[in-house]
Amino acid sequence: MQAVYPLVRYREPGAAIEWLVEAFGFEVHRVSTGDDGAIKHAELSAGTGMIMLGAGEPGGQGVYIAVDDPDAHHDRARAAGAAVTAGPADQPYGSRDYMCEDPEGNPWHFGTYRPAVTAPVSPQRELVFGFMPAQVIYVAAELDLAGHLTGGPLSAAELAAATGTHAPSLHRLLRALACFGLVAETAPGRFVLTEAGDRLRDGTPDSFRALARLFCGPGVWAAWGLLAESVRTGEPMWERVTGYPPFEWTARNPEESAVFNRAMSDYTRRIAPGVVQGFDFTRFGTLVDLGGGDGTLLSAILRAVPELRGVLFDLPGGLAEAERNLAGLRDRCEIVSGDFFEKVPQGADAYLFKSVIHNWDDERAGAILRTCRAAMGPEAVLLVLEPVLPERIDSPAATGTVMSDLNMLVATGGRERTEAEFRALLTGAGFRSVSVTGTFPDGELRMISARP
């Protein structure tokens, strides 16, 4: 005996699945239909648990138990006095099952099927075809399929009409999304949004729609397609594929700039609580967030430290949504437009760069840091919030930072750095007393502190 699964039967299993998903928060794991299109078997998951569902009269709930040899199990049960209601038989969903009742009439179901078990897949093979899921998710994000499905289940044809797409082709895309658990096909050609898929909507706490549109979109996609050329030459490919350096490109394309800003904001919103809780900002009177974009991080810090004053500093395009994010904080937060290669606000207690320095090679990063140092008083503190590469890769734990490092190579010409490389960069720019924290929760970022 290997595993136990509660079993529920419904006269209309398709409608029941939709209701269970909406009412109880189940996610659809699998739906199997017969030749007539009717649902014969379904599996709904909740966390690590699962129930089975099938067609039949309600009220006959039972338990399904996975066994290695249902025929032998059937013979043993019958010999012990079980009333067999359906003998061993092969099922269309890949199991061999039998059913019986115990002496008091409770139904029991036994078979070979194990919903959680999947055929082993080569991880190397998955890596080779990894570009396919990325593009499926990008198209779903670009079409805002999750937003269209928020109101409830829709058919592929209805979604196609709402998104201006080719219905048969959209149906094929939706099947892929169902394989990834982002939607569920509750009936042939009819789809519902899952809990995981809800993160593809704008405005959800853990939304990754903007991140998908940015990192799987045409610019980044084309630059990564020239990774081999970057490896051969050491040069970024973004300007080759777009005609402009990355930050000039976003400045010239307001829609692309909005996607970039939203992606950065969504990521920052996820990691900000861990940074605020894990680092002491109360020791500062004024904090300048350099390259702070729409103020998502500065807003979180200011709300957590009521005595702190802030200055948000970025190019005009980066500050586009700042007023909205800093609502209620403007009495102690100044918004300043400028270029940190040229000049930054003077006289603050702390200067923070989050995910800025890695955009630039050592020469340009050093220039930014020297500009900042020139504005700092002798007791001011520099804060650099970035991933830190390990000195040696001995586990997959650094995968995210390593991939980001390659993204910097093809897109901006920047790089991720080891702790030793950060120390060399900072001391070369005139800083001293360099220290590095551990990794903050919900991310790969660490705080690097230094003094002028």
Side-chain angles (χ1 to χ4, degrees), residues 91-110:
Q91 303 298 329
Y93 47 89
S95 180
R96 183 167 176 80
D97 295 353
Y98 84 92
M99 294 183 288
C100 67
E101 292 181 352
D102 62 25
E104 294 194 10
N106 293 308
W108 293 82
H109 307 254
F110 299 89

Side-chain angles (χ1 to χ4, degrees), residues 315-328:
L315 295 170
L319 297 170
E321 298 293 324
E323 289 286 356
R324 176 176 57 84
N325 282 333
L326 293 170

